[in-house]
Amino acid sequence: MMVNLHRGEISAKLGGAERRMCLTLGALAQLEAELQVGDLQSLAARFSNGRISAKDMAAIIHAGLCGGGHDFTRDEVEALHAEGGLPAYANIVTRLLEATFGTAD
C-alpha cells in the first residue's frame, strides 16, 4: 500500500489487513470533540507529555482510520487486533501523531 507521508498518511496493520490512516482536518475535528479539547494546540499538548490512555489511543486510531477513508464504528475499531498487542497500538498512534504534528527533532 502506497501512502503519502507529505499528506500525513501512514499504513498500519489492523485486523489482519494493511490500512491507510490519516488525521485529516475532519478527523482532527472529530478527535477534538471526542476528547473534549478546544483546539489543535490543546490536542497536541495533550499528547506531547508522552502519557496517553487506552481511550485516547482508541480515539486516535478511530479518527485515523476515518481520515484514511475507512468506515468503522468506534466499537469495530476497538475490536480490531494489532499483532504485537499494546506496543503495536502505541506504535501506530505514535507514527500517526508524528505524521500529523511532526516530531520534536
Side-chain angles (χ1 to χ4, degrees), residues 23-90:
L23 290 176
T24 62
L25 188 58
L28 287 166
Q30 169 189 333
L31 199 51
E32 285 175 346
E34 184 169 345
L35 299 179
Q36 299 178 343
V37 296
D39 54 43
L40 286 175
Q41 186 175 13
S42 298
L43 188 64
R46 179 175 176 145
F47 304 131
S48 67
N49 68 6
R51 297 182 62 153
I52 190 166
S53 70
K55 175 186 172 183
D56 291 342
M57 288 182 18
I60 293 165
I61 290 171
H62 183 234
L65 286 166
C66 290
H70 303 284
D71 188 24
F72 286 103
T73 66
R74 176 66 182 267
D75 288 340
E76 290 170 333
V77 168
E78 290 177 0
L80 287 174
H81 175 72
E83 190 173 318
L86 184 59
Y89 292 116

